[in-house]
Amino acid sequence: MDNVTATAACDDTCAGTEADITEVKAKLVDDTSASELADLFKALGDPTRVKIIHALLQSELCVHDLTQVLEMGQSAVSHQLRLLRNMRIVKRRKVGKTVFYSLDDDHVEQLFVLTLQHLRHE
């Protein structure tokens, strides 16, 4: 493609589609929800947190169990769990001095499983 043809192609502008822009705009997610959703995906953007979620998808575990599974120190695991708890991705249940962690609800499990299936093209 010569420069004249390339320039002509670049000068073509999009005239839009047949979509009802007003309707799309009216249904657009609000700023607060968009921010919360972005924060959720940021929380899922760390490999350690992803491994914690995957482990908790399989079984309710205590911090000690997670340190063994992840081969990490208790402080590092606790830090990640605190973050996940603040994002309402995991919840905790205390029995005596032991704290057990699990996924907060089925939505977290569905989000995780669907994303994993998407990546694996299942």
Side-chain angles (χ1 to χ4, degrees):
M1 182 183 300
D2 61 19
N3 283 344
V4 175
T5 308
T7 302
C10 290
D11 287 343
D12 290 340
T13 58
C14 176
T17 64
E18 299 292 321
D20 183 349
I21 300 303
T22 306
E23 184 179 337
V24 171
K25 198 171 183 179
K27 292 179 179 178
L28 194 63
V29 65
D30 63 77
D31 290 345
T32 301
S33 296
S35 180
E36 289 173 352
L37 190 58
D39 287 342
L40 173 65
F41 282 108
K42 280 185 215 170
L44 298 174
D46 179 88
T48 299
R49 291 192 289 268
V50 168
K51 288 179 180 180
I52 290 172
I53 293 166
H54 193 243
L56 295 177
L57 181 66
Q58 299 172 60
S59 179
E60 180 181 61
L61 300 167
C62 68
V63 175
H64 179 267
D65 293 338
L66 285 166
T67 63
Q68 298 299 302
V69 169
L70 300 171
E71 298 178 353
M72 293 176 62
Q74 182 176 343
S75 176
V77 170
S78 293
H79 172 75
Q80 298 300 340
L81 285 168
R82 188 175 320 107
L83 224 158
L84 291 170
R85 219 180 58 234
N86 289 341
M87 292 296 304
R88 294 183 14 230
I89 296 171
V90 302
K91 62 184 176 185
R92 65 183 185 171
R93 178 177 68 87
K94 197 169 185 178
V95 177
K97 293 183 178 186
T98 305
V99 179
F100 294 95
Y101 289 88
S102 61
L103 298 181
D104 190 72
D105 61 26
D106 289 342
H107 297 117
V108 174
E109 179 178 345
Q110 291 170 8
L111 178 64
F112 190 88
V113 169
L114 285 172
T115 304
L116 198 55
Q117 286 174 348
H118 170 72
L119 292 173
R120 294 176 176 169
H121 293 286
E122 293 178 0

